[in-house]
Amino acid sequence: MGYKHIEVKQVAGFIGAEISGVDLSRPLNDDEVKEIRKALLKWKVVFFRGQNIDHAAQVEFTSRFGEVTFAHPLGEPEPVAGFPQIKPVDRRLYEKQYGFRSGGPWHTDVTAAINPPAASILRAVNVPSFGGDTQWSNLVAAYEGLSAPLRALADTLKAEHRFNGGKASAPQQQVHRAYCCQSTSLNPPSC
């Protein structure tokens, strides 16, 4: 399972790998993209350290893995001007909304959309000297670790994905409805 164009270093037991040997500020060749995709599918979360990219380079990198969608529709602030695919994350807004410095409660990103993105890309611009941890889970490993009877039960279940479960204000609910019925367009329509 070797890689010829990138270096991949496992960082945890079931999830996460660090990728090096590529410069995300320049266009990647098809072989590099193929190997990054391979690592992402295996490790579910990949990290690129020491990269110096701007919004345009982030969108260019993202576009190598599929159609880039509109930024996350929930909460403040709005997407970056000129880059509707990018939503800034500001810990001060989370503190105001949730009362503590966190990314909020456990969640999945944008699964309620008609065409949810295959992945999310987070780019750290201002990294704190401590804290700021983000945690992920590998649901494939969790499923594979279930006993046969529990796996059989899980196979019969269905999930309903919603934005905010009715806690949103009327204007936010309108944005959520628009986002959930959109195609992959970067300009959410009204439904």
Side-chain angles (χ1 to χ4, degrees):
M1 181 160 248
Y3 299 91
K4 295 179 181 178
H5 305 281
I6 63 173
E7 296 170 34
V8 179
K9 178 183 169 191
Q10 178 181 353
V11 297
F14 291 101
I15 193 168
E18 186 174 313
I19 295 178
S20 59
V22 292
D23 179 358
L24 302 185
S25 68
R26 65 164 183 78
L28 300 177
N29 67 49
D30 291 343
D31 291 330
E32 291 169 321
V33 171
K34 183 177 178 181
E35 289 188 1
I36 291 169
R37 182 185 307 276
K38 178 180 171 182
L40 177 61
L41 291 173
K42 176 177 174 76
W43 296 108
K44 312 302 184 225
V45 177
V46 294
F47 306 94
F48 298 87
R49 299 200 186 274
Q51 300 290 329
N52 186 17
I53 62 173
D54 58 14
H55 296 321
Q58 180 178 347
V59 171
E60 171 61 28
F61 171 69
T62 305
S63 72
R64 293 303 308 272
F65 297 90
E67 186 173 350
V68 184
T69 62
F70 181 79
H72 197 293
L74 292 177
E76 299 175 38
E78 294 294 320
V80 174
F83 295 94
Q85 312 90 332
I86 297 177
K87 178 177 179 167
V89 176
D90 186 330
R91 67 179 170 82
R92 295 169 295 191
L93 294 173
Y94 284 105
E95 186 174 355
K96 178 181 167 187
Q97 183 175 1
Y98 298 107
F100 53 90
R101 289 185 180 171
S102 164
W106 180 259
H107 66 278
T108 57
D109 283 339
V110 200
T111 59
I114 292 294
N115 295 307
S120 295
I121 295 181
L122 303 174
R123 175 172 51 106
V125 176
N126 298 314
V127 181
S129 58
F130 66 92
D133 299 343
T134 298
Q135 298 177 3
W136 293 271
S137 66
N138 181 336
L139 296 180
V140 172
Y143 174 81
E144 290 173 349
L146 295 174
S147 66
L150 279 177
R151 231 184 335 227
L153 172 64
D155 290 343
T156 68
L157 301 176
K158 300 208 183 285
E160 183 175 314
H161 297 247
R162 294 182 183 184
F163 282 117
N164 238 13
K167 297 177 189 174
S169 67
Q172 281 183 317
Q173 288 177 5
Q174 184 177 2
V175 170
H176 301 174
R177 278 192 300 276
Y179 194 82
C180 289
C181 72
Q182 78 169 8
S183 65
T184 55
S185 168
L186 293 179
N187 299 309
S190 59
C191 297

